[in-house]
Amino acid sequence: MTPVLRAASNILVHAPDLVRYGSKCFREIASQGESFSRKLSGRIRSYENAVAYPPNQVFIGNLPPESLTGMPSPWHGHPIPDASSKGPFGEILPQESFYPLLQRADQFGLVMLDSDKLPLSGFASNAASALVPEGAPGPSHKTADILRGIESGESIPLEHAGALVGCVRRDHDADESLDARVLLENLAAKASGAYALSRLLVQEKIESGQVEYIISCSEEAVGDRYNRGGGNLAKAIGEMAGCQNAAGVDVKAFCAAPVYALIHAAALIRAGVVRNAVVVGGGSMAKLGMKAHQHIAKELPVLEDILGGVAFFLNSDEDEGPRVNLDIAGRHEVGRPSSPQGMVEALVCDPLERAGRKICDIDKYAVELHNPEVMLPAGAGDVAMTNYRTLAAVAVMRGEIDRGDIPDFIESHGMPGFAPTQGHIPAGVPYLGHALAGMRAGTLNSTMLVAKGSLFLGRMTQQADGASVVVEV
Amino acid sequence: MDLENQAAIKKLADEVGAENLMVVLGMPSEGVQIAAETLTTGDPSWAGPLAGVSLRLPVFHILEERVRAEVPADVYREKLELMEMVLDLDQIEKGLAEIRTKR
Amino acid sequence: MFKDKKVIALGERDGVPGPLIAECMEAAGAEVVFQKTECFV
């Protein structure tokens, strides 16, 4: 069986009032109190601004990645006129439509919403409304009950447009893994993952019952205190999206997980274990506002106000899409150096060489596509550009190109970063929607996804990691 | 610069004395100046433990000519040479020179 | 220049990572007292 990529979808959720629960901002508010909270509120973008933000328009497919190159900067100061929240393979959900999805994701009475304060007058999206087939996501709660939980310290508030509209409560008074903020983080990943999956199914008119297997590459450590990180968010997401006939499992590998998940899904199809599989990644609430203090100091909008999500559908019908070429899948062995050069050699050169190909034979490389406008003001590098330069430098060392050709190589084989800094979400895979469009139009033949993971963040090893795979017609 | 790293470096400077420490950076050019400034005159974003703290540590970048010269040639060739093509050396040296005038 | 000096190695994942700086500095005779790789993503 040849695994093929039939469809990809990318979603964004504008979540300005969840930024305060991102790891960095939560700690800043705890140490600086309301003064940081006020600074944050003063720099939050409107939903309309988030929709019109050029990189977000690229993410949902309304603009090609290359269009960012010629656009005036800063991008946040040059919104796209008449921008739509819907694109050919993605969409952007407003916060008021996401809170009901959070409540729908919850089966344990953790999310309480007051429907008087947040009336649900239809969803802004068919993919979102498909997740709430009965119309209401759950019972409405009285403000007094919501306030009681917050005052007792059991719950954390959910706000929208300056008003208290609900809360999320902890489910154990001594289990840190079931703390309200941890549960909100997990529910946000589940709800945004299910939304990405629903968008994929609606977009491609795929019956939810048809899906056989789901691999979640979300980053959250779902579990209680005895099995923190135990996982299987995949089945929780599949259930929420109505995939009654699907089994599922999580793949964890920091930011490299989406590419591992794609390889695993394709391998299961090639081995004949399943006929089709979905890869899904929900958003990372912890990373909201990760660099907000630097954005605030530079008087920029808080650009990390967006949860990202991705979903792909793989099957074995060769008429339906380009193949995931498992013969060109790169892996970073334990004995390999974790230097950028070592990563490129392991992830790009070795698998290409095994297949008798050269670096320049691949049309487009989709590396970690972090939006540079989020990174640079924070004193961090342009991740995508640095990765392309490393790739080009390796091509120079191998005699494939001249040193003077580096800029041309990057222009023709690379692209500017356009994905929200959501860890795993930018891992090459947001390009798949664009790649599918290019391959169907005959303008692109091959792309290699190259993702890296910072294993050292978990303090179990100093190593980095990565995975890569080629998708081609 | 990462706030936890600021805290760790501040603690280290308190323990062994800033005059006994040197810093060698490895980030791409964009972050060099901010990191160097943070470790010289304090955190310019006023968000971290080094806000308003002038450690005045000597700060270098691993790819600077005089730092490279200290690394044995075989180690340099194997581990670092390629990064010369990746990171913007001029920008890195410019950023560091500017901060060094403040020391 | 670095011989017997106490060095802080502060790398970044997509630039030169901390362990690599530490390795080079140790080869240059320094004592690496703190080594970190920053990751902003």
Side-chain angles (χ1 to χ4, degrees):
Chain A
M1 298 281 211
T2 304
V4 305
L5 179 73
R6 171 170 160 187
S9 74
N10 298 341
I11 61 93
L12 296 171
V13 175
H14 185 236
D17 289 291
L18 297 183
V19 175
R20 71 173 60 183
Y21 296 129
S23 174
K24 179 72 81 187
C25 293
F26 192 73
R27 282 176 286 137
E28 290 296 320
I29 291 169
S31 68
Q32 296 182 38
E34 278 309 300
S35 76
F36 186 81
S37 198
R38 270 195 304 277
K39 281 190 243 172
L40 191 63
S41 306
R43 293 267 141 211
I44 286 294
R45 287 188 292 193
S46 67
Y47 172 66
E48 289 69 27
N49 280 343
V51 167
Y53 185 50
N56 291 348
Q57 285 292 305
V58 172
F59 193 79
I60 63 171
N62 282 335
L63 294 170
E66 293 77 12
S67 66
L68 290 173
T69 310
M71 244 176 238
S73 65
W75 295 328
H76 62 77
H78 296 84
I80 302 292
D82 305 319
S84 170
S85 64
K86 306 277 171 25
F89 53 80
E91 56 186 57
I92 308 173
L93 195 70
Q95 182 171 267
E96 63 264 36
S97 288
F98 185 61
Y99 282 173
L101 296 191
L102 278 178
Q103 191 179 20
R104 182 72 179 82
D106 163 36
Q107 301 176 350
F108 295 83
L110 310 169
V111 178
M112 298 166 74
L113 290 181
D114 179 347
S115 61
D116 289 341
K117 297 281 174 59
L118 189 76
L120 184 61
S121 50
F123 280 99
S125 143
N126 292 338
S129 72
L131 295 171
V132 192
E134 57 276 27
S140 178
H141 295 267
K142 292 192 175 69
T143 304
D145 295 336
I146 290 169
L147 278 172
R148 199 174 309 120
I150 295 169
E151 279 157 15
S152 73
E154 273 186 26
S155 305
I156 54 173
L158 285 179
E159 294 186 354
H160 180 70
L164 177 72
V165 299
C167 67
V168 180
R169 67 167 182 83
R170 68 179 180 224
D171 210 30
H172 197 290
D173 54 8
D175 185 344
E176 286 177 2
S177 300
L178 299 177
D179 172 67
R181 199 165 62 96
V182 173
L183 289 169
L184 175 57
E185 193 171 288
N186 295 342
L187 286 168
K190 176 182 171 182
S192 55
Y195 172 47
L197 174 51
S198 181
R199 162 74 205 200
L200 180 78
L201 300 177
V202 169
Q203 171 186 308
E204 300 298 323
K205 299 185 177 60
I206 297 167
E207 286 294 324
S208 53
Q210 202 192 320
V211 178
E212 291 187 11
Y213 205 77
I214 299 170
I215 302 181
S216 167
C217 54
S218 312
E219 290 195 313
E220 280 55 40
V222 176
D224 72 4
R225 57 183 153 179
Y226 293 114
N227 47 44
R228 184 173 55 231
N232 218 332
L233 196 56
K235 283 192 79 175
I237 289 172
E239 179 191 37
M240 186 169 168
C243 299
Q244 293 293 322
N245 299 317
V249 71
D250 294 357
V251 164
K252 295 256 174 213
F254 286 88
C255 305
V259 175
Y260 273 111
L262 192 61
I263 293 169
H264 292 190
L268 287 171
I269 291 169
R270 183 152 112 175
V273 178
V274 292
R275 285 170 298 181
N276 66 58
V278 161
V279 172
V280 63
S284 167
M285 189 185 81
K287 292 204 174 86
L288 291 177
M290 189 180 181
K291 291 167 278 296
H293 58 294
Q294 278 126 333
H295 295 153
I296 291 168
K298 294 216 157 56
E299 300 189 339
L300 304 171
V302 172
L303 296 167
E304 293 165 308
D305 58 352
I306 287 272
L307 294 168
V310 290
F312 327 110
F313 188 82
L314 284 78
N315 67 7
S316 52
D317 187 339
E318 288 185 48
D319 295 334
E320 289 198 323
R323 69 193 164 122
V324 180
N325 189 347
L326 291 172
D327 294 332
I328 316 180
R331 51 189 185 270
H332 183 257
E333 298 90 346
V334 170
R336 288 286 188 133
S338 292
S339 62
Q341 180 179 349
M343 301 295 294
V344 168
E345 284 167 353
L347 299 180
V348 180
C349 304
D350 286 8
L352 286 176
E353 212 164 88
R354 284 196 291 269
R357 309 253 195 116
K358 293 195 172 307
I359 293 175
C360 294
D361 292 343
I362 298 294
D363 290 348
K364 280 281 181 193
Y365 286 89
V367 298
E368 288 182 74
L369 298 168
H370 293 277
N371 173 2
E373 191 162 275
V374 177
M375 306 296 296
L376 297 174
D382 179 343
V383 174
M385 186 49 80
T386 308
N387 276 285
Y388 286 125
R389 278 204 206 113
T390 310
L391 179 58
V394 171
V396 171
M397 283 188 108
R398 296 170 77 89
E400 281 200 42
I401 61 172
D402 290 330
R403 194 166 174 161
D405 296 336
I406 291 179
D408 287 347
F409 173 89
I410 294 173
E411 196 187 326
S412 62
H413 295 277
M415 68 194 83
F418 58 86
T421 47
Q422 285 266 286
H424 58 308
I425 297 298
V429 292
Y431 178 62
L432 284 176
H434 295 283
L436 276 171
M439 287 173 185
R440 287 184 176 133
T443 55
L444 184 82
N445 286 315
S446 58
T447 183
M448 186 183 220
L449 310 177
V450 188
K452 297 203 283 190
S454 302
L455 305 192
F456 47 85
L457 297 175
R459 309 296 196 268
M460 292 295 112
T461 169
Q462 290 280 7
Q463 289 182 92
D465 186 43
S468 66
V469 71
V470 164
V471 177
E472 62 186 348
V473 289
Chain B
M1 198 176 128
D2 185 270
L3 306 191
E4 283 75 21
N5 289 347
Q6 289 190 32
I9 292 170
K10 184 167 183 283
K11 185 162 167 270
L12 207 56
D14 289 342
E15 282 167 13
V16 306
E19 67 283 4
N20 294 315
L21 287 170
M22 297 170 103
V23 182
V24 181
L25 306 174
M27 61 272 289
S29 56
E30 295 89 347
V32 168
Q33 198 169 346
I34 292 178
E37 187 173 355
T38 306
L39 298 169
T40 305
T41 53
D43 181 358
S45 72
W46 286 86
L50 291 179
V53 179
S54 293
L55 288 181
R56 299 189 186 282
L57 296 175
V59 183
F60 303 92
H61 194 280
I62 186 80
L63 291 184
E64 277 184 278
E65 186 72 49
R66 56 177 157 164
V67 180
R68 272 158 38 190
E70 299 285 321
V71 180
D74 55 330
V75 178
Y76 178 77
R77 248 194 325 276
E78 191 194 331
K79 312 271 183 187
L80 285 177
E81 194 173 20
L82 175 116
M83 295 312 286
E84 264 183 57
M85 279 189 270
V86 178
L87 306 187
D88 186 342
L89 267 181
D90 289 346
Q91 196 66 32
I92 286 169
E93 287 182 348
K94 226 175 91 189
L96 285 173
E98 199 170 307
I99 299 303
R100 281 172 189 149
T101 61
K102 299 183 185 169
R103 278 197 75 225
Chain C
M1 180 172 162
F2 294 105
K3 184 124 185 60
D4 301 326
K5 293 284 169 56
K6 290 182 174 25
V7 163
I8 292 168
L10 207 54
E12 193 180 311
R13 192 195 62 162
D14 298 297
V16 184
L20 190 48
I21 301 175
E23 205 179 324
C24 293
M25 283 299 105
E26 277 162 9
E31 179 197 352
V32 177
V33 290
F34 180 76
Q35 178 268 108
K36 206 68 187 274
T37 304
E38 294 202 285
C39 177
F40 294 95
V41 297

